Structures are given as C-alpha cells and as structure tokens.
Amino acid sequence: MELKKLDEGLFWPDYKNSIVNFSNSILELFDEKPLHRPFRFPKRVLENVRKVIVMVIDGLSFEIFSDTIHDDDVQVFPCSAVFPTTTAAALPSLYSALTPLEHGFLGYILYLREVGSLVNMIEMSPPGLPRDSVLRFHDFKFTTIFQRLQSKVKSFFLIPRYLLGTGFSRIMSRGSEQIGFSSFGDMIEKTLEILENPDRTLVFIYWPTLDSIAHKNGVGREYIRELRWIYRILKFELLRRLKQDTLFFLVSDHGQISTPQDNEIWWDFSSEVMRFLDRPPTGEQRMMFLYTKKREL
C-alpha cells in the first residue's frame, strides 16, 4: 500500500485498503453482502473459518509494530485509517464497515443541529453535562456489522468494565452481546469461554491502554514495552489455544506519532481568531471544524 501524499507529513486515506475495507471483509467472510470493497486478504487466510476474533488496539502504529514484532507466525498487512484519524471517527468505521461521512461520527466534538449544541461524541453529552445525557432525547441512527450479521453469526463485544454500558459502547455494539472485562487475563479467559460455543462466532475486543500511554508520554520506550507485553501475552495465553477454524486479527483504529510542542498552536476565547467564529471550534485538535460568522466564506 502506498498512500497518496497531500502535504509534508500528510497523506490521503486509502479507502481501498483501509479499516473500512477490513470490516467489509468480515461481512463477506460470513456471507453478508459488503458495503464497500473488502480488504484483499490472500484466499488461504480466510479458508475454513467459522470463528473470528478482532482485537482492536487503540493507537497501535503499523510502523512501530513492524519494527518491534519480528515473528514468522505473524502476517502483517498495511492498512489505512480513515479521516479524521481519531478514535471517535475510526471506531465507528470498524464497527459499521462505513466511512465517517456515511456513519456521521466525524470527530470528538461535533455541533449537532438536531440537538442544538456541541456534543462530545465519546461521552455522548454536551460539554460540561453528565455522560450520555444527549441520549435521553436523541437517537443516533447507526447500524453495526453485528446487526447485519445477526441471522448468520453470534457476535460478542468485549470492552473494559469501566466502559460497559456507556452510551457510545451501546451504540457501537448493537446486535452483539456486550461483555466487560477487568484485566487482560480476564479478557483472554472470557474470549476462550465464548469460543467454546459451536456456532459461527464473531468477537470484537477493544483495548485502550496503548493509546493512553502514547497520549501521555508519546511513542517512546513505555509504548514499545507495552506493545511487546501485549503481543507476548496474546501469543502464549490466547493464540496457542485457538482451534484451526478460528482466525485472529490484530487491528488498530489509528496510529500514533510524537509531535514537538513547538508545532502546537493554542487558542482560547481571548484569541483573535475567535472574533470571526459563530461558535467554538469542533472536531479534533488535529482537525478542526470552524464555523465563521460570514457563511459565504
């Protein structure tokens, strides 16, 4: 995969080899009509598969994984994120097999006309209000791959226990059984228990810690040490216990890079640019939507 360059350090997403295409390959594998072109895995990878595990590691960089994990048992496929390359837009793409423009989760903070307010799309609430408060009067029209596969497979959605039952996780897991885990070991044991059932099965697992480390300390030694630990435990405690009819994918919603503070620009309500805006900026710190007072601009 070769990404088309937009500017120095900026690339267009590749919607022929992206996480959107990956999720469409899951639909096709389970005999459901894909919504976009499926990711082109080698045919042998998908043969005789009845059960699929997809572990989503938030913030896992393809380049760092390739440079850090050297194992002949692993097949690595380069895969583009979506735009914007952030959790609030990318996770919905993984769970729906749609692009951000199609599913509507375009950033961390959005102005929703139906709500009449800025809304934190992860917390599901206007800034400063209780979590999930917007769901009391607004329903997000969001169809997951689990709903599309409901008549064909049993789907399970595993997340850390502190996220269990939150509005965002409820929307993303529609059509699946949502299960919380308390630790990495607990996650592995719950996954193995699920796989004991004889039905065709799809398991999605979400692990957020690597992304949290990168946001706090960058993609340095702590990040790499955590990645090596994750891979080592997965290989010896989970992958070696899987049966031949089970396929395991390790994917990410987006990568991570370290950026120097000299490249940061900070705005507050005293900044000159705010005089030209009709409401506060939304979107992401890395990709903002600006609402100007002069609409014709």
Side-chain angles (χ1 to χ4, degrees), residues 6-290:
L6 173 64
D7 201 346
E8 188 62 37
L10 297 175
F11 299 87
W12 294 100
D14 181 357
Y15 284 118
K16 293 181 180 178
N17 300 283
S18 71
I19 56 178
V20 173
N21 308 98
F22 168 78
S23 292
N24 277 276
S25 68
I26 300 295
L27 291 176
E28 186 179 56
L29 189 154
F30 285 119
D31 307 317
E32 179 68 17
K33 183 179 178 180
L35 309 170
H36 290 279
R37 167 181 157 174
F39 198 95
R40 296 306 179 191
F41 289 108
K43 188 175 180 180
R44 68 182 185 279
V45 172
L46 308 178
E47 287 180 343
N48 304 315
V49 173
R50 287 182 50 80
K51 301 179 181 182
V52 174
I53 305 169
V54 180
M55 184 170 183
V56 182
I57 297 187
D58 200 325
L60 174 60
S61 164
F62 167 76
E63 289 82 6
I64 294 178
F65 182 90
S66 301
D67 292 341
T68 303
I69 306 301
H70 304 287
D71 189 333
D72 293 336
D73 294 332
V74 176
Q75 291 183 272
V76 181
F77 302 96
C79 185
S80 166
V82 295
F83 182 83
T85 54
T86 57
T87 298
L91 284 184
S93 285
L94 275 168
Y95 298 139
S96 69
L98 297 171
T99 66
L101 187 61
E102 292 170 321
H103 60 61
F105 284 73
L106 298 173
Y108 184 55
I109 304 289
L110 296 183
Y111 175 75
L112 299 186
R113 187 180 303 162
E114 301 87 345
V115 177
S117 172
L118 303 184
V119 173
N120 183 314
M121 301 299 286
I122 298 292
E123 300 285 337
M124 287 287 131
S125 65
L129 292 183
R131 189 171 198 156
D132 300 336
S133 56
V134 75
L135 297 178
R136 298 173 189 169
F137 53 88
H138 180 72
D139 181 36
F140 291 87
K141 306 298 182 184
F142 186 84
T143 302
T144 68
I145 60 174
F146 314 119
Q147 289 172 299
R148 298 183 189 278
L149 292 171
Q150 245 173 340
S151 64
K152 298 178 173 67
V153 301
K154 283 189 175 181
S155 296
F156 299 86
F157 189 89
L158 274 63
I159 55 174
R161 193 173 298 279
Y162 69 88
L163 296 174
L164 189 65
T166 59
F168 184 79
S169 66
R170 292 203 308 271
I171 292 171
M172 296 299 114
S173 65
R174 287 172 178 168
S176 69
E177 181 180 343
Q178 190 178 151
I179 299 173
F181 55 82
S182 56
S183 66
F184 205 85
D186 185 35
M187 176 269 291
I188 289 176
E189 288 306 311
K190 282 183 166 59
T191 300
L192 292 172
E193 289 173 12
I194 289 169
L195 295 176
E196 290 177 1
N197 83 80
D199 303 302
R200 299 176 84 190
T201 304
L202 173 62
V203 182
F204 261 72
I205 305 167
Y206 174 67
W207 186 256
T209 308
L210 199 66
D211 185 67
S212 300
I213 291 172
H215 280 295
K216 183 179 180 181
N217 298 320
V219 286
R221 288 180 295 179
E222 185 179 355
Y223 178 96
I224 293 172
R225 188 178 296 112
E226 179 77 5
L227 172 57
R228 285 176 174 154
W229 177 86
I230 288 171
Y231 178 74
R232 189 180 305 117
I233 299 301
L234 279 176
K235 180 169 184 177
F236 289 98
E237 298 296 337
L238 178 61
L239 301 186
R240 291 189 173 187
R241 297 163 71 179
L242 299 182
K243 297 180 180 179
Q244 291 294 321
D245 65 349
T246 303
L247 183 59
F248 179 87
F249 289 107
L250 188 68
V251 301
S252 179
D253 52 348
H254 59 80
Q256 282 278 14
I257 60 172
S258 296
T259 56
Q261 288 188 339
D262 292 345
N263 291 354
E264 295 182 1
I265 299 173
W266 288 89
W267 291 345
D268 59 28
F269 283 102
S270 66
S271 300
E272 183 179 3
V273 70
M274 300 301 288
R275 295 191 295 110
F276 300 96
L277 301 183
D278 185 54
R279 58 180 62 94
T282 64
E284 304 275 351
Q285 288 182 319
R286 289 158 283 180
M287 189 282 302
M288 285 186 167
F289 302 140
L290 303 180

